[in-house]
Amino acid sequence: MNIIINRKARAIYFALAGLILCDCGTYISNIPEVTAVNETHTGVMWNVTVDPSTNWTFHATKVNSYDITTNLDLQLKVENYFNFTLSSDTSAFLSFKILNNSLDKEDMFWRNTNGGELKEIHFKVNCFGADNVPKDIRIIIESVNEFPQQFNNSFPKIIKVDENTKNDTSVFSIFQYLIDADIPTPQLKDFTYTVKSSNGQNDGTPWFYIPIASSDNLRVKASPDFDQLHKNNMTILTLTVVVKANDESGFEINTTLQIEIVDVDDLPPSFQYPGCQNNCSVTPYEAYTGPSWRGPVKVQPTDIKAKDQDSIGSAIKYSIKQSPNNYHSSFEIDQSNGAITQIGDVLTVNVLTIVATEDTTNGFSQSATLLIRLSNDSSYLPEASKMNDDSSKLKLIAIVVGAISLVIIGILIFLVIFVYKRTKKKMTVVPKEQSPDTTVEELVSDRPSTVDEKVNNWKQTIDPRQWPTVTSRRQQLDPLHLRDESTETEESSIKKKKPRKKKKKLMEIFDGTKQYDESSNGLYQL
């Protein structure tokens, strides 16, 4: 930038220039080589008294270490931030000031010019007089904390810390979650870090603190116990984190941090039974069984059951500890539910050791005793076993009753068949008007008393067309062809179906060819 010279002073300068040449060296030595200003500073940086007859020039040469003398456009833009003037008074002042546009390091012009933080600007000043003396000067720009620090969006609302974490263990770092718009970016050492009580019921300061204010590490003050805190409903603790700037701005921010105490597997399982809440030292389990019993064993006062004392709720596996006398070999236990089954003879009273083990990496375990007593009373057997026994008896009774029923039914069927066959063999031919059920006595009682009555009776029963006629020389009648009207079969066919054993006929049918003894049958030959 060319030095702005008052017209009047310039006229005087040229009028005297030919007569007297001023010594520039005396005046230029008064200009400070280094001047430090804040980035927010505006106005005069320094004033120097000079001879008004001198002529001065002023040019920017560097921004930080970047040479701008070859980039005239950039050089002019840098010089426009400054004003280098010479007053018109007899004892003139050379003034160097920063204009309204401050040297703000956050200004994008400076960030783009140097590709980083603006730290210093270099100038070259020339004085023209009796001698020509140039001088390099430097303006150092100091940072100002213009913007307060802030917690970024990644700052966690809650962190988790395992119970029983050792004292003085670092559990959280604060600085990584801070942001600041200032250039250069503040460092860890630029802040002070503290925590204070949240004034709530779940105050975490008894368990956590920051021992050194210049460090951002939150550490364990007293190892937290989840189980104890859980009883007081304090598994989530609360702190207030405070961050304060160390410079003159004194910017201070704070936020709430919650700390969840996490239960870890640090307790063994506990057997559950009446009167015991957690980790009872006495386990009064007992069971009654028979010497030769095989099957489930009923445990009193309740079934064997263990539970993880930690809130993790790890699965439990059950086992029977080996005994020196091999007593345990008569029993087995379900690994998943602890049910006891007798698989061998038990001849003595003894004690089994039941072991409950967590199915975890640590594998914490707890033991309980089971006293085995002998008894022949089935009331000590499990309900399911008694039901099975009763069911077996009922099945046996049902089988016996079924077998007897089958035998009776077989006998009845045999009798029915036998009677049917006997009845069929006794079937005979009877007159049309007589019932098949007519007995011998009825037939005998109905016999006519005279021969004529007998003949007439027979004629009434025989078709006239079949009455016998004399056809032979011996004056004998033809035999009658009688039919069994119930079966419509000829007499001849009836005879073919006679039973093997001949039985005495109840009555003979008159065929007109036979003679009958009157004394015995009451009939005469016709």
Side-chain angles (χ1 to χ4, degrees):
M1 178 185 294
N2 293 326
I3 301 175
I4 300 175
I5 302 175
N6 186 276
R7 291 182 180 180
K8 182 177 179 181
R10 184 178 299 174
I12 296 173
Y13 168 75
F14 285 110
L16 299 176
L19 300 175
I20 300 173
L21 292 177
C22 298
D23 186 2
C24 289
T26 304
Y27 303 112
I28 203 169
S29 60
N30 295 330
I31 298 176
E33 292 184 3
V34 179
T35 304
V37 294
N38 291 334
E39 60 174 316
T40 57
H41 178 81
T42 57
V44 177
M45 290 184 290
W46 46 256
N47 288 315
V48 177
T49 302
V50 296
D51 190 321
S53 62
T54 55
N55 188 15
W56 298 84
T57 59
F58 167 82
H59 298 285
T61 58
K62 291 181 181 180
V63 174
N64 293 343
S65 59
Y66 178 63
D67 187 355
I68 62 173
T69 57
T70 58
N71 188 339
L72 298 180
D73 182 62
L74 179 58
Q75 185 182 40
L76 181 59
K77 289 180 179 179
V78 171
E79 292 174 355
N80 285 337
Y81 276 83
F82 302 91
N83 188 7
F84 194 72
T85 59
L86 180 65
S87 65
S88 59
D89 297 335
T90 303
S91 56
F93 285 97
L94 185 62
S95 178
F96 189 32
K97 63 176 67 176
I98 301 173
L99 302 179
N100 293 333
N101 292 330
S102 64
L103 307 179
D104 190 354
K105 293 187 176 186
E106 291 75 38
D107 191 325
M108 292 303 300
F109 170 75
W110 299 113
R111 297 178 67 176
N112 293 333
T113 297
N114 187 52
E117 176 191 358
L118 175 62
K119 295 181 178 180
E120 57 185 26
I121 303 174
H122 295 253
F123 298 91
K124 184 178 285 293
V125 178
N126 283 302
C127 176
F128 297 95
D131 51 359
N132 184 7
V133 180
K135 186 173 185 177
D136 292 325
I137 63 174
R138 187 161 51 109
I139 307 299
I140 297 177
I141 298 92
E142 296 180 343
S143 300
V144 175
N145 189 2
E146 303 175 71
F147 308 99
Q149 65 276 13
Q150 294 179 340
F151 293 105
N152 62 25
N153 294 331
S154 299
F155 188 89
K157 298 300 181 183
I158 186 170
I159 62 173
K160 295 183 178 182
V161 177
D162 291 344
E163 66 165 330
N164 300 333
T165 301
K166 294 182 179 180
N167 292 351
D168 207 38
T169 300
S170 177
V171 297
F172 183 65
S173 296
I174 301 171
F175 178 74
Q176 61 180 320
Y177 298 104
L178 292 178
I179 56 175
D180 197 312
D182 288 302
I183 295 178
T185 303
Q187 302 300 308
L188 174 69
K189 61 181 178 59
D190 297 326
F191 302 102
T192 298
Y193 310 87
T194 56
V195 291
K196 62 182 181 180
S197 173
S198 60
N199 296 323
Q201 180 181 359
N202 296 346
D203 179 24
T205 53
W207 291 274
F208 299 94
Y209 74 132
I210 296 179
I212 303 174
S214 60
S215 172
D216 68 331
N217 289 328
L218 180 67
R219 297 179 177 273
V220 176
K221 183 178 182 180
S223 181
D225 182 4
F226 174 87
D227 304 285
Q228 187 64 36
L229 291 172
H230 183 69
K231 292 180 181 179
N232 298 323
N233 196 25
M234 292 180 61
T235 55
I236 296 181
L237 306 176
T238 305
L239 294 172
T240 299
V241 177
V242 181
V243 179
K244 183 178 180 180
N246 291 334
D247 58 23
E248 63 278 2
S249 68
F251 290 134
E252 181 178 298
I253 59 172
N254 63 76
T255 189
T256 299
L257 176 66
Q258 290 184 317
I259 304 174
E260 179 181 356
I261 307 303
V262 179
D263 192 12
V264 299
D265 184 23
D266 61 344
L267 294 175
S270 173
F271 284 92
Q272 309 293 302
Y273 53 87
C276 174
Q277 298 300 324
N278 277 310
N279 198 24
C280 298
S281 58
V282 179
T283 51
Y285 289 124
E286 63 179 17
Y288 288 84
T289 186
S292 59
W293 167 250
R294 299 293 187 274
V297 176
K298 183 180 180 181
V299 178
Q300 298 178 347
T302 183
D303 294 337
I304 294 175
K305 184 178 181 181
K307 180 181 178 182
D308 184 6
Q309 294 187 79
D310 297 306
S311 64
I312 301 172
S314 302
I316 305 297
K317 290 185 177 180
Y318 300 91
S319 62
I320 301 177
K321 187 177 180 180
Q322 293 185 356
S323 54
N325 55 6
N326 210 30
Y327 188 76
H328 68 281
S329 62
S330 296
F331 300 90
E332 66 179 9
I333 188 169
D334 191 310
Q335 289 188 358
S336 60
N337 59 28
I340 302 293
T341 303
Q342 184 173 333
I343 59 175
D345 291 341
V346 177
L347 304 179
T348 60
V349 176
N350 214 321
V351 176
L352 294 177
T353 301
I354 309 300
V355 181
T357 305
E358 293 179 357
D359 189 11
T360 61
T361 303
N362 293 329
F364 292 118
S365 63
Q366 186 70 274
S367 299
T369 57
L370 172 61
L371 176 61
I372 301 296
R373 299 180 184 272
L374 295 178
S375 174
N376 293 322
D377 188 353
S378 63
S379 63
Y380 293 109
L381 297 178
E383 293 297 329
S385 301
K386 291 189 286 185
M387 291 177 63
N388 291 337
D389 187 47
D390 295 340
S391 177
S392 300
K393 293 179 181 178
L394 291 175
K395 287 181 180 178
L396 180 60
I397 294 173
I399 291 173
V400 173
V401 172
I404 295 174
S405 300
L406 289 175
V407 172
I408 294 174
I409 292 172
I411 294 173
L412 291 176
I413 292 174
F414 174 78
L415 291 175
V416 170
I417 295 174
F418 177 78
V419 172
Y420 172 75
K421 288 184 177 181
R422 291 292 301 270
T423 304
K424 185 176 181 181
K425 290 179 181 180
K426 293 180 179 180
M427 185 179 66
T428 59
V429 180
V430 297
K432 180 178 179 181
E433 295 181 357
Q434 291 180 346
S435 170
D437 297 330
T438 305
T439 63
V440 175
E441 291 75 8
E442 291 175 346
L443 291 174
V444 173
S445 62
D446 292 339
R447 287 179 181 176
S449 59
T450 64
V451 174
D452 294 337
E453 290 178 356
K454 294 178 181 178
V455 172
N456 291 333
N457 288 342
W458 281 110
K459 288 184 177 180
Q460 292 176 1
T461 61
I462 301 175
D463 188 347
R465 291 176 296 181
Q466 297 179 353
W467 287 357
T469 59
V470 178
T471 58
S472 66
R473 293 179 182 182
R474 295 180 180 181
Q475 300 296 314
Q476 292 179 344
L477 295 175
D478 293 331
L480 294 174
H481 296 278
L482 301 180
R483 290 183 302 175
D484 184 355
E485 293 183 355
S486 62
T487 61
E488 296 298 326
T489 59
E490 295 293 338
E491 179 184 10
S492 58
S493 63
I494 296 175
K495 291 180 180 180
K496 292 180 181 179
K497 296 181 179 179
K498 289 182 178 180
R500 294 178 184 178
K501 294 183 179 181
K502 295 182 179 180
K503 298 182 179 180
K504 186 178 181 180
K505 295 183 180 179
L506 297 178
M507 60 174 289
E508 292 184 353
I509 304 173
F510 173 73
D511 58 2
T513 62
K514 294 184 179 181
Q515 295 181 354
Y516 295 86
D517 187 1
E518 181 180 5
S519 62
S520 61
N521 295 326
L523 295 175
Y524 294 92
Q525 184 178 7
L526 294 177

